[in-house]
Amino acid sequence: AVPQPNAAAVAAAIAFARAQLGEPYQFGAAGPNAWDCSGLTMMAYSAAGIAIGGHGASAQYTRAASRGLLVPWAQAQPGDLIFYSAGGSTSGSKYHVTIYI
């Protein structure tokens, strides 16, 4: 079974991410004034005291998968990471990650 999310950590990660709205996108950036997708998710969860993997969508997916944290889209809850890959494939490299709100 997938562990239940820590509501306080989820709220902290979402609040951190929302506080970055309006800041520019820059490939490879992880703040504090510019972000790419995985840099933002990594730092949002780091601010909540949770390590979600390295700086990269594939690294974060691999860490979630190795911990049994992947859930079907229909079961997504606020704070879950949504991963994108070519053709919607569940395997292979991920090119984008977002936080489900």
Side-chain angles (χ1 to χ4, degrees):
V2 174
Q4 291 300 307
N6 175 321
V10 167
I14 290 172
F16 181 93
R18 282 191 169 147
Q20 311 322 306
L21 286 172
E23 292 181 357
Y25 175 88
Q26 181 181 344
F27 185 75
N33 300 312
W35 307 90
D36 70 5
C37 62
S38 62
L40 179 60
T41 56
M42 177 180 67
M43 296 307 286
Y45 271 95
S46 178
I50 297 173
I52 62 168
H55 191 170
S58 291
Q60 293 172 13
Y61 178 88
T62 299
R63 184 172 178 109
S66 73
R67 293 178 171 221
L69 299 175
L70 301 179
V71 298
W73 174 253
Q75 295 175 18
Q77 298 179 40
D80 285 350
L81 298 178
I82 306 297
F83 296 94
Y84 298 75
S85 59
S89 169
T90 57
S91 63
S93 119
K94 307 303 177 220
Y95 68 85
H96 189 56
V97 59
T98 62
I99 300 174
Y100 183 80
I101 299 185

